[in-house]
Amino acid sequence: MSTHVAAVADAGKPSPISRVLHPIRGQLIVAAVLAAIGAMLTLVPLAGSAHIARIVIDDPGSGLAFPTDEQAEIWRTLIVGVACLFAGMALVSAGELTAHLADNRLTHRLRLAAARRLAQVPLGWFTSRASGEVKQAMQDDIAKLHSLTAHFYTAVGRAVGTVGISVVYLFALDWRLAAVSLLPFPGFLLFLRHAMTAGKANMPEFAVRLGRINAATVEFVNGIPVVKAFSVAGRAHGGYRDAVDAFAEAFVGVARPLVAAMAHAHAMIAPVTVLGVVLAFGALFAGLGWIAPVDVLPFALVAPGLCAPLLLLHTLLHDLGGATAAAQRVLALLETPVLEQPSPGERRIPTGHDIRFENVSYAYEAGHWALSDVSFALEPGTVTALVGPSGAGKSTLARLLLRFFDPDAGRITLGGVDLRHIETSQLYRRIGFVLQEVRLIHASLRENIALGRPSASQPEIEEAARAANIHERILALPRGYDSVVGEDAQLSGGERQRVSIARAVLLGPPVLVLDEATAAADSGNEVAIQDALSRFAQGRTLLVVAHRLDTMMRADRILVLDDGAIVEQGTHAQLLALNGRYARLWALGGYEAATVSEEPSC
Ligand code: ATP
């Protein structure tokens, strides 16, 4: 789509904010109207005070002690003024309450929708995203919308109500004094516009230097251990200090003209400025005989009251930019492509546990195939090892079998059924996995082990933990199985892995995908893990991203991957006899050294 066509298409689309606020739009409008009417009513006492002052000044003999018509008028004005004040305050409060209830409803809906969406996105989506990104959208961005939903609409209502009724009232009293009293407000808008354009010229450079300081900070923090170890503190600080100095310079370039213009704008609508203008012109007009001195009073009371709502509105308008970006990120999360689920008509139950990859290809980025045209079968009850150099596609292949994502071409079948036609819950009942990057949730060890089968009994959980060689360690914790991960259960990498094995054991899937530990476990842990795994693997179909010599030697078949394709397959002995790729990897002085990457592969 050309840029122009895209722009035209976008022009017809509602803005992110109006799409996010759609479910509560009615409530927000009601809140704004209540706030507007309330704000108008709260101004009535000011007009009433001016009215009473005029009565008293026009007829100094009248007073509250004397039963005159003026006195009755004063009492009426007082009662109406107080009633309007309370009614106005009640309506403003009702508006605020309505807006906050709407905000609560929206926040609840958005968080639920985000959680539902996250439950449907492919597991592979999480591996490529930092948890910080999800937290930002689900927590920070949804919270940022609060200033928009709970405050912006009522602030607009109050400002429109206050300004509208005040302008009408003042013009009805005297149009000439009304016109000059309101002069500071267009002045405010002019300075505001100037402020907006003032810093703009330096903005691109500011953004570049901000990006640089962010990168330099991350680099600096990540590098602290190395810097300390090699005692090169001065040199490491250098880059960071340069980035900070450059940023400070850009900041001054943006802030200086902006601050001056903003100061002028705010000075224009300070209540004292407006009062000064009213009194100066009021005195002049009274001197010219255009207006009675007492008629200046309503202007002195009402006009300065316009400043506060306008300043608040300006602050909230400033927040609106942040809220728009937040709404965009929330929408992006809510529109994340989900893993296609089979329709009820398409759903099939696998009849066996044999697995077939049929001409499977997959690319993370268009044109760069991580796997191309891969075909093989895993016979039930066999062990298949995946080997190959770093980046060959081993983890990608394992993740495709776990349906972290779907192949771009070809298909994978379990028991003769395409994975895409198997319900996710059915799939994970049949295929379990133990990956290097173990995810434990913030819950008790019992809940962590029983994650896939919450109905499991305590003896079943303990049996699984025993099989995974972690039972004794859990009993040694202060609260045993009730110890909470991250609180009173501080576990090492290897122990966490054994908990994840216990989780898989409890589910007892007939197929297991395993990414072998490389550097995570110490030797004691490693023996415990290997022991647990080999017991668990008995009689199951096992696909293992192999890093260990004994795994390869005992595998029924080894698939050698290179550059996304299977280049050799066979047993350890057959492949060595072939004297090809595998034999060369072997001869490199140990397979492990050739495949271990710095990062864990899953
Ligand atoms: P290692 O042994 O180092 O873990 P591997 O054989 O498991 O490597 P994969 O992780 O499957 O290799 O990666 C295969 C190719 O796909 C590599 O070129 C890698 O750069 C690319 N790749 C892997 N994950 C992603 C991702 N999330 N986004 C883009 N490209 C990716």
Side-chain angles (χ1 to χ4, degrees):
M1 201 189 279
S2 74
T3 320
H4 173 69
V5 177
V8 171
D10 279 352
K13 248 181 157 185
S15 71
I17 288 213
S18 61
R19 285 169 64 203
V20 167
L21 297 190
H22 180 71
I24 55 161
R25 186 174 300 144
Q27 265 174 291
L28 291 180
I29 291 172
V30 170
V33 171
L34 287 174
I37 299 173
M40 288 180 193
L41 288 176
T42 54
L43 288 178
V44 172
L46 290 182
S49 308
H51 186 57
I52 292 171
R54 198 181 299 118
I55 293 171
V56 173
I57 292 169
D58 282 352
D59 186 2
S62 68
L64 294 181
F66 306 106
T68 60
D69 285 351
E70 283 88 347
Q71 199 184 87
E73 173 76 7
I74 289 172
W75 274 112
R76 244 195 326 271
T77 311
L78 266 178
I79 291 167
V80 170
V82 171
C84 284
L85 179 68
F86 280 107
M89 280 162 42
L91 285 182
V92 169
S93 302
E96 293 291 342
L97 183 68
T98 310
H100 277 81
L101 287 177
D103 175 57
N104 251 342
R105 213 177 115 218
L106 182 75
T107 305
H108 181 241
R109 278 177 79 119
L110 288 177
R111 291 219 166 100
L112 267 185
R116 277 198 201 110
R117 195 72 179 189
L118 288 179
Q120 293 170 7
V121 301
L123 292 181
W125 182 86
F126 294 97
T127 59
S128 58
R129 260 157 198 88
S131 49
E133 207 178 297
V134 175
K135 189 238 166 203
Q136 155 98 21
M138 271 189 89
Q139 200 59 31
D140 306 348
D141 288 338
I142 291 178
K144 210 176 264 176
L145 290 174
H146 172 84
S147 72
L148 181 71
T149 48
H151 299 291
F152 184 70
Y153 282 78
T154 47
V156 170
R158 285 205 307 276
V160 168
T162 309
V163 173
I165 197 75
S166 303
V167 168
V168 169
Y169 173 65
L170 296 180
F171 269 90
L173 287 178
D174 186 285
W175 69 269
R176 288 159 303 194
L177 190 53
V180 290
S181 301
L182 298 175
L183 272 182
F185 297 99
F188 166 71
L189 294 178
L190 281 179
F191 276 116
L192 199 62
R193 225 181 109 206
H194 178 58
M196 300 236 182
T197 46
K200 247 186 194 161
N202 297 326
M203 236 353 162
E205 188 57 27
F206 177 79
V208 169
R209 294 191 187 184
L210 183 64
R212 240 179 256 158
I213 202 172
N214 283 342
T217 308
V218 172
E219 215 170 86
F220 176 58
V221 172
N222 287 345
I224 284 176
V226 181
V227 169
K228 281 198 158 177
F230 294 96
S231 307
V232 286
R235 244 180 295 156
H237 280 134
Y240 177 64
R241 214 176 24 226
D242 290 347
V244 170
D245 290 345
F247 174 74
E249 199 182 298
F251 184 78
V252 171
V254 168
R256 190 172 284 153
L258 189 81
V259 167
M262 284 309 291
H264 290 141
H266 283 193
M268 282 306 282
I269 60 161
V272 66
T273 314
V274 178
L275 187 63
V277 171
V278 168
L279 293 180
F281 280 93
L284 178 68
F285 289 4
L288 289 171
W290 292 358
I291 190 170
V294 69
D295 288 337
V296 178
L297 190 64
F299 289 87
L301 287 174
V302 172
L306 298 179
C307 305
L310 283 178
L311 274 176
L312 177 65
L313 197 60
H314 168 239
T315 311
L316 288 170
L317 270 174
H318 188 258
D319 290 349
L320 202 60
T324 308
Q328 260 163 351
R329 285 189 292 265
V330 171
L331 279 180
L333 180 69
L334 295 181
E335 287 165 5
T336 308
V338 298
L339 192 67
E340 219 180 288
Q341 287 298 320
S343 64
E346 284 175 336
R347 271 177 217 158
R348 302 270 179 282
I349 302 283
T351 46
H353 304 131
D354 56 312
I355 287 165
R356 287 185 191 285
F357 275 61
E358 296 174 7
N359 307 102
V360 169
S361 298
Y362 182 78
Y364 290 96
E365 290 148 19
H368 184 268
W369 294 104
L371 281 183
S372 52
D373 205 21
V374 169
S375 299
F376 64 90
L378 301 181
E379 301 303 334
T382 60
V383 176
T384 303
L386 284 177
V387 302
S390 183
K394 305 182 292 294
S395 300
T396 307
L397 196 150
R399 287 179 198 160
L400 281 169
L401 177 55
L402 297 170
R403 217 177 162 210
F404 274 35
F405 24 70
D406 284 328
D408 292 321
R411 64 176 201 150
I412 305 168
T413 61
L414 167 67
V417 180
D418 191 325
L419 296 191
R420 281 175 275 224
H421 295 156
I422 305 174
E423 258 187 296
T424 313
S425 57
Q426 292 286 340
L427 180 70
Y428 292 125
R429 213 169 284 165
R430 289 167 172 79
I431 305 185
F433 54 91
V434 178
L435 304 180
Q436 284 194 40
E437 196 184 306
V438 177
R439 305 267 180 193
L440 299 186
I441 58 168
H442 186 82
S444 69
L445 281 161
R446 184 200 323 276
E447 287 162 312
N448 265 288
I449 295 175
L451 199 60
R453 236 184 84 195
S455 60
S457 65
Q458 180 65 20
E460 285 173 320
I461 293 173
E462 286 184 17
E463 199 185 318
R466 252 185 231 107
N469 275 339
I470 193 70
H471 175 68
E472 303 298 329
R473 174 73 181 99
I474 293 177
L475 288 187
L477 290 168
R479 286 196 291 148
Y481 280 85
D482 290 324
S483 310
V484 173
V485 173
E487 282 180 14
D488 49 356
Q490 305 291 349
L491 302 176
S492 72
E495 288 163 349
R496 292 166 70 86
Q497 196 148 33
R498 279 187 274 156
V499 172
S500 83
I501 295 171
R503 192 188 273 169
V505 170
L506 189 66
L507 275 177
V511 181
L512 181 68
V513 176
L514 171 66
D515 199 347
E516 271 191 339
T518 53
D522 56 50
S523 54
N525 252 321
E526 181 136 4
V527 171
I529 292 169
Q530 285 310 317
D531 180 45
L533 279 174
S534 40
R535 267 189 282 148
F536 177 45
Q538 300 263 319
R540 298 174 203 275
T541 310
L542 192 64
L543 179 70
V544 47
V545 177
H547 295 281
R548 299 170 49 85
L549 306 185
D550 52 348
T551 309
M552 282 172 265
M553 292 171 76
R554 105 187 123 81
D556 297 302
R557 194 155 50 123
I558 299 169
L559 301 177
V560 185
L561 276 178
D562 195 8
D563 205 12
I566 296 179
V567 288
E568 284 172 14
Q569 52 184 301
T571 61
H572 175 67
Q574 284 167 344
L575 290 175
L576 280 188
L578 204 64
N579 205 16
R581 183 89 211 177
Y582 182 80
R584 275 202 300 282
L585 272 176
W586 193 259
L588 274 176
Y591 170 73
E592 210 158 341
T595 56
V596 174
S597 55
E598 280 175 34
E599 297 288 331
S601 42
C602 268

